[in-house]
Amino acid sequence: MNGNILIKPSVQQKFDHVMQSGRILFFSAPCGFGKTVVANALLRKWRTLCLRADAPDFSLQALPDEWDILLIDDFQLLQEQETSQTLCELIRANPARRFVFLSRGVPPAYLTAFQYTGLMTTLEPDDLLFDHEDIRNFFASCKVAVTESEINGILKESIGYPLGVAITARQMSDGKPFSPELTARAYREVFAYFEAAVYNRFDLPVRRLLLELSLFEDFDMEMVRMVSGDPRAGERMDWLLRHTTMLRYDSRERFHFWAGFRAFLLWEMDREYTEEKRKALFSRGGLYYELKEDYAHALECYTQGGDHTRVAELLVRNADLHPGMGHYAEMEKYYRGLPETEILASPSLMQGISMLCALAMDYEGSERWYGELKKFAEHCGRQDAAGKQARGRLAWLDISLPQRGVKGLTETIPAVFRLLTNKEVALPSFSVTSALPSIMNGGKDFSEWSKKDDLLYKTLRLPVEAVLGRDGVGLADCAIAESKFEKGEDVTGRMLSLLPQLNEIRNRGTPDMEFAVSGLLARSQLANGQAMDARRTIEVLRECFAERGLTRFLPNMDAMLCRIDMHTGNLDAADVWYREKAPREPTHLNVMRRYRYLTQAMVEIMQNRPDAALLTLSPMEPYIQNCARIIDGIHLNVLTAITLHRKHDKRWRKRLTAALDAAAEYSFIRTVSVYGTAVLPLLGALDWDGDKKWYKQLMAAVRMQAAFYPHFLAPRLAPGEELTPTELQILHLLCADKSNAEIARIMDVKLPTVKTHVSHILDKLDVKRRTEARTAAKKLHLVPEDL
């Protein structure tokens, strides 16, 4: 690092604590974290005796008397037991003196007693990394101009690594802007430093071990041995853990490299290893994960290694273990990377690619692969096991493909039931819900069935449960309860009889059905004004699923919690979900995420961003139409109507009319009434000429929800507080630290006009200062986060 000094307040605080009531300050961080520079700055007012552990004449014997603090650099090189004993005795014998140790390794075991008694404070890498404010202050100390957006870019690229920040500041010192070319030069300089100061000091076996492990994001000792093939791998890992801080703990048994050092190792590997050697390492990693039955990571490794045969075999095995459309979406890139010859040889892979095409709304491709699977089945004899498997997978697609709808299922399911009974086919497992909190609107939309739900419950319950196997446990009772709920009935009694089945569902059924039952319970609680109970229902289930490793359900659970937050007015929590977990991918529709898309649009409506909400909603329309998604269509039309209404666009009437027409056809109430106070003014302004009895029931339900949740989807800014286009332009310039005079020049208006606009902006944002306006504007999403 250069001579500019930046001492973080948290570091100064820990140093002051050691000087007042401690004995030892231990710096434990890789090279380039500024340990020496920071230590020298902290100690500049103290009488300090400086020693280097790697000096030929290093000794703790016969030290001079004139010192208050003993500083030992390269502390990780202290190895002799006699030296460690001498050091401990020296610390104990000098209670009035302080000790500062600079190490690239972790604190050694012989200092543990000082740490446990509170006499030693450790500064770790995270304590020394720069944050946004640190970078701004460092550049100021270097007298180098830097903008807020450049600081954000520097923080992102450097991860706050002090040496990287210092090199970047030096390269920008002659007025050069932060750019990709400058970043590349800074990386090369940092890597050259790593190579000279760290990597070249390791012996060859350690270097080889580091390079081979760098291909993997994390690893345990078993994986280290399998990938490296080094019989002394454990010994070398132990040395690295004691003498460096490049390895971090993910848990007690798993490790990963510090990100900056891993980037260097991958750079070094590109120079030293051939492509064939790298592929061989990935294959070893794939074998490790395969033996652990961690197929997601195994597939990633085999794909990186170019082993398509192993990828195909694992996809077949994983499909059997994890059925349902959600599985295919998760494994899409591996299916897409397979040669067609591999797919055509496997009924399981043809089934998977047919479903994947359907989920991507490539219905022509889906039917093409369905046809290939059909040809495969026809070429096999009736007694051929492969033919039986192919016929079973065809039946699975007949039931599951989203473009097929549900109208023919009342004939298909009994027919498949007869084939199962006669043992003519063996069906793969299903996922009726596709990891959504619904059966009616899960893998398929069963609105058509809701018209005759009582009759179908009586006639189809047994064949449906037989065909669906484990996924059929509890399905019929949950489905009819959900159908009645959508029609506005109080399902409290049905839930009381359904909830006792949860134990049976956990033992004999699937987590999909468990989520569907709990999701219906939470929706029922929310509809009855019991929002906190609804939140607790989902939070408990989420915690349970996370412990069981059922991660594919968590994103939709988080979206469900976000909806509850919006109902209760916890807008900050909804903002956090939007910032950290919303899909926000309008150009790449993934139909498996539609529950999250609808949630995202709700947050954007709440944020006063109608254009963003429309951008989120519109890509779903073709899927909803092609796959007869009635319930999704109602939600989409209601949300679109609310959005257009707030934009004063008269087209809202057509969208709301379409929603009401569809809801009335199926007698659905909750699908519309859930929007309560947000849709109530639209219903009052619309002259709808449909079923009056149904409409009266709907209005009663809407008013009830409006009473329970009067602020649901209410905009952050009231109509009278909305910023004009001119005010919005000035707000952007204000947040970019432009003065009133600069704003006047850019906008080509007079200075008093700017002052008037700024005053109006502060009033509308309910703040008093310009600095507060930036925070409020970001919270309201009026300006970008990085401005």
Side-chain angles (χ1 to χ4, degrees):
M1 293 183 64
N2 62 25
N4 297 90
I5 301 168
L6 174 67
I7 301 177
K8 293 162 64 78
S10 57
V11 172
Q12 183 70 56
Q13 185 178 8
K14 289 188 176 184
F15 175 76
D16 293 341
H17 169 75
V18 170
M19 299 308 295
Q20 292 166 13
S21 57
R23 303 290 296 283
I24 305 167
L25 182 62
F26 195 103
F27 285 77
S28 172
C31 62
F33 271 75
K35 298 185 294 294
T36 303
V37 172
V38 172
N40 288 339
L42 290 169
L43 301 176
R44 64 181 180 275
K45 296 181 180 178
W46 298 84
R47 291 189 304 167
T48 305
L49 175 61
C50 299
L51 302 177
R52 294 189 64 89
D54 62 344
D57 58 347
F58 174 82
S59 174
L60 295 176
Q61 305 292 340
L63 295 176
D65 292 331
E66 298 77 21
W67 58 275
D68 299 313
I69 297 177
L70 174 64
L71 183 146
I72 302 179
D73 203 350
D74 281 326
F75 189 87
Q76 75 278 1
L77 300 177
L78 284 181
Q79 296 178 349
E80 297 181 12
Q81 184 176 357
E82 182 179 338
T83 302
S84 62
Q85 291 175 348
T86 302
L87 179 61
C88 290
E89 291 170 4
L90 182 65
I91 296 169
R92 294 190 183 98
N94 291 273
R97 287 170 163 167
R98 301 293 180 264
F99 300 82
V100 176
F101 304 141
L102 311 182
S103 177
R104 295 181 184 177
V106 296
Y110 59 80
L111 294 179
T112 301
F114 296 103
Q115 188 148 12
Y116 283 164
T117 55
L119 296 177
M120 183 171 82
T121 298
T122 301
L123 285 171
E124 297 181 336
D126 289 346
D127 296 310
L128 300 173
L129 287 173
F130 286 180
D131 59 21
H132 189 280
E133 191 66 23
D134 296 329
I135 294 175
R136 179 190 289 113
N137 293 337
F138 184 83
F139 271 72
S141 72
C142 299
K143 296 183 172 54
V144 176
V146 63
T147 66
E148 286 297 306
S149 61
E150 286 179 327
I151 291 175
N152 290 331
I154 293 166
L155 179 59
K156 180 179 178 181
E157 292 292 343
S158 68
I159 328 173
Y161 177 50
L163 177 62
V165 175
I167 290 173
T168 303
R170 175 167 50 75
Q171 292 188 351
M172 294 176 65
S173 61
D174 58 356
K176 292 179 181 176
F178 183 68
S179 66
E181 293 77 12
L182 188 143
T183 300
R185 289 198 301 274
Y187 267 115
R188 284 196 296 271
E189 193 167 333
V190 169
F191 289 167
Y193 176 78
F194 280 162
E195 190 171 48
V198 182
Y199 184 72
N200 288 344
R201 297 188 181 187
F202 296 143
D203 61 29
L204 291 177
V206 171
R207 293 187 207 177
R208 185 169 60 250
L209 181 68
L210 290 171
L211 290 183
E212 293 177 349
L213 294 178
S214 69
L215 291 175
F216 307 98
E217 289 190 3
D218 59 20
F219 39 84
D220 60 11
M221 287 305 303
E222 184 180 349
M223 184 174 181
V224 170
R225 294 186 181 96
M226 185 173 290
V227 168
S228 68
D230 184 350
R232 297 179 61 188
E235 177 186 329
R236 302 191 205 286
M237 282 288 291
D238 182 63
W239 185 90
L240 284 167
L241 289 167
R242 284 188 291 108
H243 291 87
T244 76
T245 46
M246 298 299 184
L247 282 170
R248 307 284 185 89
Y249 288 91
D250 288 332
S251 63
R252 189 170 62 87
E253 296 180 349
R254 294 198 70 82
F255 314 95
H256 70 274
F257 286 112
W258 168 59
F261 189 60
R262 184 180 181 224
F264 158 73
L265 290 173
L266 291 171
W267 174 76
E268 194 74 40
M269 168 165 273
D270 283 340
R271 303 166 65 199
E272 295 190 22
Y273 273 50
T274 65
E275 184 179 356
E276 289 305 313
K277 282 187 176 180
R278 286 197 294 271
K279 285 184 175 181
L281 291 169
F282 277 122
S283 291
R284 292 182 209 164
L287 179 59
Y288 163 81
Y289 283 120
E290 184 179 349
L291 293 173
K292 295 287 184 182
E293 296 187 355
D294 182 348
Y295 294 144
H297 282 100
L299 284 165
E300 183 65 32
C301 288
Y302 284 136
T303 300
Q304 292 278 0
D307 193 341
H308 297 303
T309 301
R310 298 299 301 145
V311 169
E313 291 174 0
L314 280 191
L315 284 173
V316 172
R317 197 182 310 169
N318 192 61
D320 292 337
L321 288 174
H322 304 288
M325 289 186 284
H327 147 73
Y328 293 114
E330 292 161 6
M331 298 295 168
E332 177 176 3
K333 65 178 180 179
Y334 305 116
Y335 278 95
R336 300 289 190 189
L338 285 175
E340 281 206 6
T341 52
E342 293 280 358
I343 300 174
L344 289 167
S346 166
S348 176
L349 296 179
M350 283 186 276
Q351 169 197 352
I353 200 70
S354 176
M355 178 57 75
L356 267 176
C357 289
L359 295 177
M361 296 191 291
D362 175 13
Y363 304 117
E364 183 179 343
S366 175
E367 296 298 340
R368 176 210 158 197
W369 282 108
Y370 178 91
E372 293 292 345
L373 180 57
K374 190 174 182 180
K375 289 179 190 175
F376 184 100
E378 290 169 351
H379 288 148
C380 297
R382 299 298 300 176
Q383 303 304 316
D384 191 315
K388 183 177 179 180
Q389 184 191 57
R391 289 189 295 275
R393 296 184 184 278
L394 283 169
W396 188 96
L397 289 171
D398 286 333
I399 296 171
S400 301
L401 283 175
Q403 69 268 30
R404 300 290 177 86
V406 298
K407 288 186 178 180
L409 286 185
T410 51
E411 291 80 31
T412 301
I413 287 179
V416 173
F417 177 58
R418 287 192 295 272
L419 292 174
L420 285 171
T421 304
N422 297 333
K423 298 183 179 181
E424 294 182 40
V425 297
L427 276 186
S429 296
F430 285 83
S431 175
V432 177
T433 69
S434 293
L436 274 76
S438 172
I439 294 173
M440 288 279 296
N441 191 31
K444 281 183 176 288
D445 182 298
F446 287 95
S447 298
E448 285 291 334
W449 285 24
S450 71
K451 292 180 177 180
K452 302 176 181 178
D453 49 17
D454 289 317
L455 175 62
L456 291 174
Y457 178 79
K458 293 176 182 177
T459 59
L460 280 182
R461 178 176 182 174
L462 288 178
V464 164
E465 290 182 349
V467 167
L468 297 182
R470 293 181 60 214
D471 236 319
V473 179
L475 182 143
D477 289 330
C478 183
I480 195 166
E482 188 178 352
S483 178
K484 301 299 185 185
F485 175 79
E486 289 289 354
K487 294 176 182 179
E489 294 186 21
D490 183 354
V491 295
T492 303
R494 290 180 182 273
M495 294 307 302
L496 289 175
S497 63
L498 183 58
L499 289 176
Q501 296 183 42
L502 275 175
N503 280 334
E504 184 183 7
I505 292 171
R506 292 189 190 104
N507 294 330
R508 298 198 307 108
T510 64
D512 300 68
M513 199 56 54
E514 191 177 348
F515 185 28
V517 172
S518 297
L520 178 58
L521 173 61
R523 291 164 62 199
S524 174
Q525 290 168 325
L526 191 66
N528 290 329
Q530 302 161 347
M532 292 302 100
D533 291 339
R535 165 169 276 282
R536 183 63 181 157
T537 295
I538 300 304
E539 283 179 338
V540 169
L541 186 69
R542 191 193 190 285
E543 183 178 341
C544 176
F545 273 32
E547 289 176 357
R548 290 155 61 186
L550 300 170
T551 55
R552 65 190 176 96
F553 296 92
L554 303 188
N556 284 333
M557 290 184 183
D558 290 334
M560 201 168 189
L561 290 170
C562 177
R563 294 189 184 195
I564 296 171
D565 286 328
M566 285 189 283
H567 275 84
T568 58
N570 190 353
L571 307 188
D572 288 341
D575 279 339
V576 170
W577 176 86
Y578 183 83
R579 188 168 56 251
E580 298 178 358
K581 298 178 180 179
R584 291 199 276 180
E585 48 186 16
T587 60
H588 180 70
L589 179 70
N590 182 334
V591 298
M592 299 301 295
R593 297 176 184 164
R594 61 188 183 278
Y595 186 82
R596 281 168 271 168
Y597 292 144
L598 293 171
T599 308
Q600 175 179 318
M602 293 180 203
V603 179
E604 288 163 343
I605 291 170
M606 179 197 74
Q607 292 172 344
N608 281 84
R609 301 171 63 219
D611 290 332
L614 292 174
L615 187 64
T616 298
L617 293 169
S618 60
M620 288 192 288
E621 297 208 37
Y623 165 74
I624 287 171
Q625 292 172 4
N626 288 323
C627 297
R629 305 295 313 204
I630 306 301
I631 295 174
D632 283 333
I634 294 171
H635 285 295
L636 180 125
N637 276 322
V638 172
L639 287 171
T640 302
I642 293 169
T643 307
L644 291 173
H645 185 265
R646 293 188 183 178
K647 285 172 61 69
H648 309 291
D649 187 326
K650 293 181 180 179
R651 289 177 297 171
W652 70 264
R653 294 178 180 275
K654 181 178 180 182
R655 301 308 290 259
L656 186 57
T657 298
L660 297 180
D661 288 346
E665 179 182 349
Y666 297 95
S667 303
F668 291 157
I669 296 291
R670 308 280 189 192
T671 325
V672 178
S673 68
V674 68
Y675 296 101
T677 189
V679 77
L680 185 58
L682 282 71
L683 292 169
L686 183 71
D687 185 17
W688 185 69
D689 58 0
D691 186 330
K692 301 303 180 186
K693 181 179 178 182
W694 173 85
Y695 190 73
K696 183 178 180 180
Q697 185 185 357
L698 172 68
M699 290 301 294
V702 170
R703 289 194 173 97
M704 180 180 291
Q705 294 307 299
F708 284 146
Y709 311 109
H711 303 297
F712 179 54
L713 297 189
R716 282 284 182 87
L717 287 175
E721 298 172 339
E722 292 177 356
L723 271 62
T724 66
T726 300
E727 289 170 346
L728 194 57
Q729 286 178 280
I730 291 174
L731 176 62
H732 276 73
L733 294 169
L734 187 153
C735 291
D737 293 327
K738 299 297 182 184
S739 66
N740 285 350
E742 289 174 313
I743 294 173
R745 284 197 299 273
I746 293 170
M747 299 290 294
D748 193 23
V749 296
K750 294 181 179 179
L751 185 60
T753 304
V754 173
K755 291 181 178 178
T756 300
H757 281 307
V758 170
S759 177
H760 289 164
I761 291 169
L762 297 182
D763 286 342
K764 289 182 177 181
L765 297 181
D766 194 24
V767 296
K768 291 183 169 42
R769 300 179 182 85
R770 294 164 67 102
T771 52
E772 295 173 346
R774 175 190 287 149
T775 302
K778 288 183 178 179
K779 189 172 184 179
L780 293 169
H781 299 272
L782 298 173
V783 298
E785 288 282 341
D786 58 352
L787 191 62

